[in-house]
Amino acid sequence: MRRIIFAGRLEPVMILTENTAQHLLYSLRVRKGEQFLLSDVSGHTALVEVTACTTDSVQVSLLEERLQDANESPLDITLVQALPKGDKMELIVQKATELGVSKIIPVVTKHTVVKYDARKALKKVEKWQIIAKEAAQQCGRSTVPEIASMQTLAKWLEGSSSLEGVFACYEGEKEKSLYSYINTVTRKEYAFLVGPEGGFAPEEMQRLRERGGDTVSLGRRILRTETVALAVLSILQYQSGDLGH
């Protein structure tokens, strides 16, 4: 069933406006009497019915609240993604959302090619957040992943209280594979780092290890940055039973 996520709270009667109403009225063309799932900012979901429409609003009534939503992953996964070139980040955000990521943190590393000023960085994050919301609705999720503010990798490393359960996919790692890592470290929360097209600098990975994080290898082949994020997410979700069960 169609699902809509809105920035409010579930109430017995709700009037949906602005972007949510525009999407319902002119993209989905909902009419009085139609039913769909509505999820609020807390991830609570309810079955609602359209009771009235205007040119810029949709009124709905709550029919049945669903306290447990099985569409979310049992894992809490944060993707720390170095900024890629072009529009690759849009693909990463969209597909990572479909694969159940909880949060995406865009970072600037030593080898990052693209550079944004503060204004453009803010606009990029806003655009990625919209893409995440659209992807979440399309795939039936009840929550939208948070797209964090853009920051340097050094700032993120120093600002994290603990790097336990954090690993970076690093082509310079020769001993520890992702396979061995996830079969020795069983967690419900993960954070993993993916580098830009030029990879991570050795000193960046050294600082990660000094703060308690790990580096892992993905095998003999060098994968593109947009491939790494989606491959690792799929592996983690498959291992947890979120994919394929």
Side-chain angles (χ1 to χ4, degrees):
M1 179 176 284
R2 180 183 296 131
R3 183 191 299 266
I4 298 297
I5 302 172
F6 80 119
R9 300 282 183 179
L10 293 178
E11 302 287 348
V13 176
M14 294 160 282
I15 297 178
L16 308 177
T17 59
E18 299 180 342
N19 292 338
T20 302
Q22 294 296 309
H23 180 62
L24 285 167
L25 290 167
Y26 301 109
S27 295
L28 303 180
R29 300 187 179 277
V30 298
R31 296 293 182 263
K32 184 178 179 179
E34 289 191 40
Q35 298 179 2
F36 58 88
L37 296 176
L38 185 66
S39 296
D40 68 9
V41 291
S42 300
H44 297 130
T45 301
L47 178 67
V48 300
E49 181 175 309
V50 178
T51 53
C53 296
T54 69
T55 56
D56 58 3
S57 68
V58 177
Q59 180 177 296
V60 298
S61 294
L62 190 150
L63 298 180
E64 175 192 349
E65 190 164 356
R66 302 186 178 184
L67 298 179
Q68 294 184 339
D69 196 324
N71 288 353
E72 289 300 316
S73 169
L75 297 181
D76 184 350
I77 305 177
T78 296
L79 164 61
V80 184
Q81 173 69 52
L83 295 177
K85 294 185 290 187
D87 58 0
K88 294 176 184 176
M89 191 67 176
E90 296 182 13
L91 172 69
I92 293 169
V93 168
Q94 182 188 64
K95 300 309 177 186
T97 298
E98 292 179 30
L99 287 167
V101 76
S102 303
K103 184 177 183 178
I104 300 175
I105 304 174
V107 295
V108 177
T109 69
K110 183 175 181 179
H111 294 160
T112 298
V113 174
V114 296
K115 305 293 182 184
Y116 299 124
D117 58 28
R119 180 174 173 274
K120 190 166 185 179
L122 179 61
K123 286 190 172 296
K124 284 288 186 181
V125 170
E126 290 174 347
K127 182 177 182 179
W128 297 333
Q129 190 68 72
I130 292 171
I131 290 172
K133 180 180 179 181
E134 292 173 346
Q137 291 182 153
Q138 181 276 324
C139 71
R141 291 187 60 175
S142 58
T143 60
V144 179
E146 175 192 353
I147 312 299
S149 299
M150 209 177 291
Q151 58 188 288
T152 64
L153 176 59
K155 181 179 179 180
W156 182 80
L157 288 172
E158 297 306 319
S160 301
S161 57
S162 172
L163 294 184
E164 183 181 355
V166 176
F167 65 92
C169 304
Y170 180 44
E171 67 276 9
E173 176 59 55
K174 303 302 181 184
E175 297 181 3
K176 185 181 296 184
S177 68
L178 176 62
Y179 177 84
S180 64
Y181 178 82
I182 63 177
N183 281 283
T184 55
V185 179
T186 302
R187 300 177 58 85
K188 288 297 183 182
E189 296 181 6
Y190 289 97
F192 71 97
L193 288 69
V194 178
E197 287 81 359
F200 288 116
E203 58 268 28
E204 292 173 327
M205 296 296 93
Q206 180 60 33
R207 186 56 182 148
L208 172 73
R209 297 189 195 101
E210 290 172 353
R211 304 230 40 234
D214 285 285
T215 54
V216 302
S217 167
L218 298 182
R220 297 182 179 87
R221 294 181 296 279
I222 301 298
L223 305 181
R224 292 179 182 269
T225 183
E226 65 270 28
T227 306
V228 173
L230 307 185
V232 174
L233 271 167
S234 298
I235 292 167
L236 292 175
Q237 299 288 32
Y238 178 79
Q239 187 199 41
S240 73
D242 187 55
L243 291 176
H245 281 231

